[in-house]
Amino acid sequence: MEKLNDIIFYSIEKSIKTYRQFAQKNISKAGIEITIDQWLVLKTIEEDNSISQKDIATKTFKDVASITRIIELLVQKGYLSRNLKSQDRRRFDLTLTKEGNTIIDKMQPYIQINRTQALKNITDEEIKNLHSILSRITANIS
Amino acid sequence: MEKLNDIIFYSIEKSIKTYRQFAQKNISKAGIEITIDQWLVLKTIEEDNSISQKDIATKTFKDVASITRIIELLVQKGYLSRNLKSQDRRRFDLTLTKEGNTIIDKMQPYIQINRTQALKNITDEEIKNLHSILSRITANIS
DNA sequence: TTTATTTTATTGATATATCAATTATATTTG
DNA sequence: CAAATATAATTGATATATCAATAAAATAAA
């Protein structure tokens, strides 16, 4: 086999895994008790509180089954309230609680710092480039 | 929040998740009963059969605990044999069985096809670029 | 309107990720 | 050498990923 590092998919995987670990470690170190994935789902609901779980899944590149379980944890932790929608009883009304809003606010600066540090010496041009290439790869296999 | 798609980490995550699903689907469709992760570990051992589980973990960007479990499955499936090393009894000798070698061979063309299709309209220049940017991001947060 | 189909979400099973604690062995140090 | 330390791997607990099967409700079709 070609050298692992020469294979672009390993580079991609390595960077995203490293970023996730880095981000999670900073959050945990700050004493915030939430996972990156839980935050992502919470943030998605905050932005659009009429969104369906199916659409949360699509938006976060996750599976609907994972979303069900993550939401369950967010409800347990008291960050989210979940109630059947009267208009469509297959779906749920998802609303952030006060604690949910608080944790989102608390997270914001860390998210910012994480991104800034990760992209320290990368130009806007390069980011645009990265986007372009990655989206073509994604399109090729979708 | 900025649009999800504008955030480079989502692009990265999306592309690698899409690729994994695409690759796994093609493998399964071909009737090959192995996961991409199991294959990756098997392939790593094939390349260096004196490698430690710790080093397999590093090389595949995985956790040693995951490696233990993946190896357990590979042994169960009959693709790998595992024996204590006499020189260092904390470690194991890991050797591909005949079936292990067979499945590696069977996989090879699909791996090739998957990569080719994913990188269809991407130039060597762009891949080099991608490597460069991603490795700088990884370095920034390591 | 009854039946068929589609959509939304849940659940179970299995694989993997991560962290912490533990075990066994090897190496270093006093 | 004996004790302390370091290393390799395993195990348990919890979170997430994926697939398949199922349930419940909504919508479309007969």
Side-chain angles (χ1 to χ4, degrees), chain A residues 21-121:
Chain A
Q21 285 169 2
F22 166 77
Q24 186 67 63
K25 190 170 297 176
N26 287 344
I27 296 308
S28 302
K29 210 161 52 188
I32 304 179
E33 295 196 350
I34 194 170
T35 68
I36 300 287
D37 290 305
Q38 289 166 12
W39 168 79
L40 180 57
V41 170
L42 203 58
K43 188 79 189 166
T44 306
I45 296 167
E46 190 213 20
E47 285 174 6
D48 174 4
N49 71 334
S50 71
I51 196 171
S52 68
Q53 297 186 195
K54 187 174 180 301
D55 288 345
I56 296 173
T58 305
K59 198 158 185 179
T60 58
F61 322 130
K62 291 178 183 301
D63 192 274
V64 286
S66 295
I67 297 299
T68 293
R69 285 161 181 141
I70 291 174
I71 284 179
E72 179 58 33
L73 289 173
L74 288 170
V75 169
Q76 270 176 38
K77 287 184 165 180
Y79 296 148
L80 202 58
S81 80
R82 177 181 45 182
N83 300 292
L84 276 175
K85 256 189 156 53
S86 45
Q87 317 94 291
D88 183 342
R89 294 167 39 76
R90 290 169 305 185
R91 295 182 44 188
F92 292 96
D93 256 321
L94 299 167
T95 315
L96 270 70
T97 62
K98 189 154 65 66
E99 292 75 25
N101 280 302
T102 302
I103 204 157
I104 287 285
D105 290 346
K106 247 169 62 180
M107 285 283 281
Q108 194 49 42
Y110 294 99
I111 300 294
Q112 228 26 74
I113 289 171
N114 289 343
R115 289 184 187 153
T116 305
Q117 172 155 358
L119 301 176
K120 210 160 55 187
N121 46 10

Side-chain angles (χ1 to χ4, degrees), chain B:
Chain B
M1 183 162 64
E2 319 83 282
K3 286 278 161 45
L4 276 192
N5 278 337
D6 290 347
I7 297 175
I8 194 62
F9 300 103
Y10 292 91
S11 269
I12 300 176
E13 184 132 342
K14 184 175 187 177
S15 62
I16 198 65
K17 278 198 178 178
T18 308
Y19 181 69
R20 284 188 149 263
Q21 285 169 1
F22 166 75
Q24 186 68 62
K25 191 171 296 177
N26 287 343
I27 297 307
S28 303
K29 211 162 50 187
I32 304 178
E33 294 197 349
I34 194 170
T35 68
I36 299 288
D37 291 304
Q38 290 166 10
W39 168 79
L40 180 57
V41 170
L42 202 59
K43 187 80 190 165
T44 305
I45 297 167
E46 190 212 21
E47 284 174 10
D48 174 4
N49 71 335
S50 71
I51 195 171
S52 68
Q53 296 188 193
K54 188 175 179 299
D55 289 345
I56 296 173
T58 305
K59 198 159 184 178
T60 57
F61 323 131
K62 291 180 183 301
D63 191 273
V64 285
S66 296
I67 298 298
T68 294
R69 285 161 180 142
I70 290 175
I71 285 178
E72 178 58 32
L73 288 174
L74 288 169
V75 170
Q76 270 177 37
K77 286 184 166 182
Y79 295 147
L80 203 58
S81 80
R82 177 181 45 182
N83 300 291
L84 275 175
K85 257 188 157 51
S86 44
Q87 318 95 290
D88 184 341
R89 293 167 40 75
R90 290 169 305 185
R91 294 183 45 189
F92 291 97
D93 256 322
L94 299 168
T95 317
L96 270 70
T97 61
K98 189 153 65 63
E99 292 76 24
N101 280 302
T102 302
I103 203 157
I104 287 286
D105 290 347
K106 249 171 60 182
M107 284 284 280
Q108 194 49 42
Y110 294 98
I111 300 294
Q112 229 25 74
I113 289 170
N114 288 344
R115 288 182 189 155
T116 306
Q117 172 155 358
L119 300 175
K120 209 161 51 187
N121 45 9
I122 318 285
T123 67
D124 287 356
E125 177 74 22
E126 286 175 318
I127 293 185
K128 206 170 291 180
N129 233 293
L130 201 51
H131 265 303
S132 149
I133 302 173
L134 290 176
S135 67
R136 268 181 290 146
I137 292 179
T138 304
N140 284 341
I141 53 183
S142 291

